[in-house]
Amino acid sequence: MSPLSQLREKMREAEVPALLVSDPTNVGWLTGFSGSYGRVVVTPDRAVFVTDSRYTIQAGEEVREMPVASFSNPKDGDEFLAEQAKELGVTTLGFDASTVTYAWFEKLRDKFAGVELTPAKDLFASLRMVKSEGEIDKVRQACGVAGAAWEHIQRMVQPGVTEYDLMLDLEFYIRRQGAGVAFDTIVVSGERSARPHGKPSEKKLEVGDFVTFDFGATIDGYHSDITRTVVVGEASERHREIYRRVLTAQLAALDAMKPGVEAREIDRIARESLGDLAPHFGHGLGHGLGKVVHDVGRLSPTSEEVLAPGQIWTVEPGVYLEGFGGVRIEDDVLITTDGIEILTKSPKDLLVLPRK
Ligand code: GLY
Ligand code: MN
Ligand code: MN
């Protein structure tokens, strides 16, 4: 079933007679449009894609399942949208309460005079969580690029190289493969590796540093997200122990993943495995992955989701010790009919670099 048919089914179930889709990720998922300005109005039997003149040609190529209507200055975009909706016979229009700001709502209320605007509950989350074969293939390719980039960067990991240079080289490599960079690359070393989302700095790698790399690629708008942690020069017992315990927690979580298991249970298993180190694991175990890096779904203590075939999750336990450093290990995982397939293939044995 096409995304548009799937959405119409949800609209029927939720008794939403017409829907304004404005969240850019939802618009992209629904239509294939990859630009920044797109709105869709969907009714049970008609739909229109609205964009502006910057994207007229692109939308004509990318949007296949519905007519494209485009406006130019001096036409007001919301006024144009209202005209298009009225042309479809819309009298009651649901909107996405989490992306329509109050200021925008006030303007829409003015432009859509005569149309009842009502906040609609999120109809996309459950649809977007289960990926199609095409989407899985793109994430798989994005994981392949990330794996190749990881292989490539290892030769640069040596004392004296800065975090910033490692980040630049990783991102250059990813772009050179024709892929996009999934998010701001994290390269943090030594004490700085205790910052789960630290920014790469001019700090130079030193012998005895943990170095955490967290990066990803995009292919056709679909993301990968991988983390590997290495030690520079010489690993101490403490390095090995912390690394081993994070890896053990990750493997325990991966081992428990299959359809029907609650997402929060997977998070619990990782925390339990970490034992006395669990207080140093502050973030959730993982998140859905797809058209955005933090896609729908969380592996966390408060998650309400249940694992199902076609979902893609990151699994990324970490331990962060202020004043010493941190370890995170992150893989991207597809839920299959009876278990998982790990899409990020890079080895996870502790790497001490440069290799002797
Ligand atoms: N790089 C962000 C994350 O792993 O969630
Ligand atoms: Mn990551
Ligand atoms: Mn992640």
Side-chain angles (χ1 to χ4, degrees):
M1 228 195 310
S2 72
L4 184 57
S5 306
Q6 291 179 58
L7 177 64
R8 284 197 170 119
E9 197 168 286
K10 288 276 172 202
M11 286 168 63
R12 236 187 340 266
E13 284 165 20
E15 297 180 355
V16 175
L19 185 67
L20 167 62
V21 184
S22 54
D23 172 73
T25 309
N26 289 340
V27 169
W29 179 83
L30 183 64
T31 65
F33 181 66
S34 63
S36 66
Y37 186 98
R39 321 256 185 256
V40 187
V41 179
V42 182
T43 74
D45 50 5
R46 296 180 68 191
V48 64
F49 180 87
V50 173
T51 190
D52 67 53
S53 61
R54 293 171 301 168
Y55 292 117
T56 311
I57 297 171
Q58 181 180 331
E61 290 166 356
E62 292 179 341
V63 178
R64 291 268 157 237
E65 258 198 304
M66 62 191 76
V68 171
S70 148
F71 65 92
S72 311
N73 274 315
K75 186 73 182 174
D76 177 82
D78 293 327
E79 190 171 295
F80 185 74
L81 182 65
E83 288 165 8
Q84 294 296 319
K86 286 177 187 172
E87 217 155 277
L88 297 191
V90 170
T91 53
T92 301
L93 184 64
F95 65 89
D96 173 8
S98 59
T99 52
V100 176
T101 62
Y102 189 68
W104 190 24
F105 172 74
E106 285 194 313
K107 187 170 170 225
L108 289 175
R109 200 167 46 188
D110 177 40
K111 301 293 182 193
F112 278 76
V115 173
E116 189 187 341
L117 296 174
T118 56
K121 69 171 187 149
D122 182 3
L123 301 179
F124 283 87
S126 60
L127 296 177
R128 273 187 28 211
M129 268 191 86
V130 177
K131 272 66 181 175
S132 68
E133 281 305 321
E135 291 178 298
I136 292 167
D137 188 51
K138 288 170 188 170
V139 174
R140 200 189 291 286
Q141 288 180 49
C143 288
V145 173
W150 175 234
E151 191 63 30
H152 161 81
I153 201 68
Q154 289 173 29
R155 78 194 73 163
M156 279 186 68
V157 179
Q158 36 194 311
V161 176
T162 68
E163 297 168 354
Y164 200 80
D165 281 327
L166 290 166
M167 175 276 285
L168 287 176
D169 208 69
L170 254 179
E171 294 195 352
F172 182 87
Y173 183 94
I174 289 169
R175 289 192 196 280
R176 204 66 198 83
Q177 308 307 304
V181 169
F183 50 86
D184 287 347
T185 297
I186 297 167
V187 181
V188 280
S189 63
E191 289 185 19
R192 303 189 76 258
S193 61
R195 305 166 187 228
H197 272 193
K199 265 187 178 4
S201 74
E202 294 292 349
K203 177 189 169 298
K204 293 177 174 152
L205 305 194
E206 294 166 47
V207 170
D209 280 354
F210 269 135
V211 192
T212 298
F213 298 80
D214 183 350
F215 59 98
T218 59
I219 295 286
D220 268 353
Y222 282 80
H223 294 65
S224 56
D225 180 10
I226 181 171
T227 305
R228 290 291 183 266
T229 303
V230 303
V231 176
V232 180
E234 191 88 47
S236 66
E237 259 322 297
R238 194 176 186 201
H239 286 120
R240 291 186 189 282
E241 169 69 4
I242 296 167
Y243 190 90
R244 185 185 63 75
R245 294 196 41 200
V246 174
L247 181 57
T248 302
Q250 201 224 23
L251 295 176
L254 292 171
D255 204 42
M257 293 177 81
K258 61 179 181 192
V261 180
E262 290 184 334
R264 69 170 71 168
E265 173 64 6
I266 306 300
D267 178 280
R268 190 197 64 73
I269 287 168
R271 264 169 235 284
E272 184 178 83
S273 168
L274 284 172
D276 62 331
L277 288 178
H280 302 284
F281 172 36
H283 54 78
L285 180 66
H287 50 86
L289 182 70
K291 271 193 88 62
V292 282
V293 66
H294 293 155
D295 204 354
V296 187
R298 293 288 176 271
L299 298 179
S300 76
T302 55
S303 175
E304 299 286 338
E305 282 104 21
V306 176
L307 304 193
Q311 294 171 348
I312 301 181
W313 297 96
T314 69
V315 181
E316 48 180 305
V319 163
Y320 310 95
L321 303 172
E322 205 177 331
F324 180 67
V327 172
R328 179 166 64 260
I329 304 170
E330 175 176 28
D331 281 312
D332 303 341
V333 173
L334 170 69
I335 308 295
T336 63
T337 50
D338 58 356
I340 59 168
E341 178 190 340
I342 300 177
L343 303 176
T344 37
K345 311 285 186 198
S346 306
K348 292 184 284 194
D349 289 336
L350 178 61
L351 262 181
V352 180
L353 295 173
R355 291 173 211 272
K356 294 211 167 106

